[in-house]
Amino acid sequence: MSSELFLIIVFLSAFLAPLFSRILRMPVPVGELIFGILIGNFFVGIQVPEILNFLSDFGFLLLMFLAGLELDFNLIEKADKKQNAVYISYVLLIFLSAFVFGILLGIGTAPAIILSLISLGLMVATLKDMSVLEEPFAKKVLLIGVFGEIISLLALTLMEKLLHFHGFVSLIKELGVIFVFFFSFFLGFYLTRLLVWWYPEIVNRLTYEEDPSALGIRLSLFLMFTSSIFAKLAGIESVLGAFMAGVVFSYFIREKKDLEEKLSSIGYGFLIPIFFIKTGMGMEVAGLNLAILFKVFIFLAFMLFVRLIPSFVLLLAGFSLKDSFTAGLLLSYPFTLMVAGIEIARRGGALDEETALALFLTAAFSSLVFPWSAKIILSRR
């Protein structure tokens, strides 16, 4: 098969995946992953065109940038400091529980970190579907999700460094470089914003004929690529740099709804589906067996367990026992960050193909089972 025809099949799959997902009532990214699995296992041995690799990498960067951009720091500033402390403690206890039980159960460090990641994307969709997004309970869970995504970024960065562990001295040096990188990027953005605030006439003179929306998209992509390049130079995965750029952008630019919608249209309309499809193409389901399915079951139980065990802490923030359980359930399907974490761990050689396949299936099944369960509980509130 020619590479041109293969590209047409991939692009057609990106178009059909949302329709397929709606019919089967599943999240669109899961449908895109399934399409990728079908393509990869049906067209075995076909050389993947280089343009597809480029579009997939571009989509991966944009996915991580948008994951950072979706964080709402206004929620943090409006919330009570005591509540914030409880929410941060809860998230840290999730990762601590995952690390401890990961060792005890022999799951491994990388899978344990991946299974404890927290992402807002599908959780927000669930709350929207149930029309409870503006309720106090939903806002509290969203705030936990904001802290969860920030700590997940740090956890992924630490995981990436542990994959290339060469002793504690080397690790401390590398973590120091990462801290300097994050601080420098934050400081650079802050100084630029300050400069714009002090000398707005210069900016207006340079951009008076420019469409503000187009300028915002250019600035976003510039930050995303610049942060990714400098992250790579600092020895960090480029996608983590893109995620951090989104977080910093979200922190400084609070009125970003229109820009976020336009970037999401570009990303989720084309580039990000290509990433999910390309990721699915790398999954060899021919090796699927009962042992892998059993591992998927263990991973699903592990994801839920490490979120529910520490959830008693949320009682200190005014949650009822039922709400604590529901919050843990809503935080148990971080599909986008899980896929990102699996890709990072695979590139670092920390996962064998069997474990990677089990984790991908866990990400898919958790995005089907847990939202459905959460909707049942929310409908009875």
Side-chain angles (χ1 to χ4, degrees), residues 285-305:
V285 293
L288 189 63
N289 52 46
L290 288 176
I292 293 177
L293 291 176
F294 180 71
K295 189 175 281 191
V296 171
F297 175 77
I298 295 296
F299 285 166
L300 285 169
F302 184 88
M303 286 181 73
L304 197 56
F305 180 74

Side-chain angles (χ1 to χ4, degrees), residues 351-363:
L351 297 176
D352 55 57
E353 287 303 315
E354 184 178 295
T355 304
L357 177 58
L359 285 169
F360 275 126
L361 291 174
T362 302

Side-chain angles (χ1 to χ4, degrees), residues 34-74:
I34 292 172
F35 267 88
I37 293 171
L38 294 174
I39 292 172
N41 287 271
F42 188 78
F43 300 101
V44 180
I46 288 182
Q47 184 69 29
V48 177
E50 192 58 38
I51 184 65
L52 192 62
N53 291 325
F54 168 75
L55 291 173
S56 174
D57 289 341
F58 193 176
F60 195 6
L61 288 175
L62 195 51
L63 172 69
M64 295 300 285
F65 181 79
L66 287 170
L69 192 65
E70 70 186 5
L71 298 180
D72 187 355
F73 286 94
N74 290 321

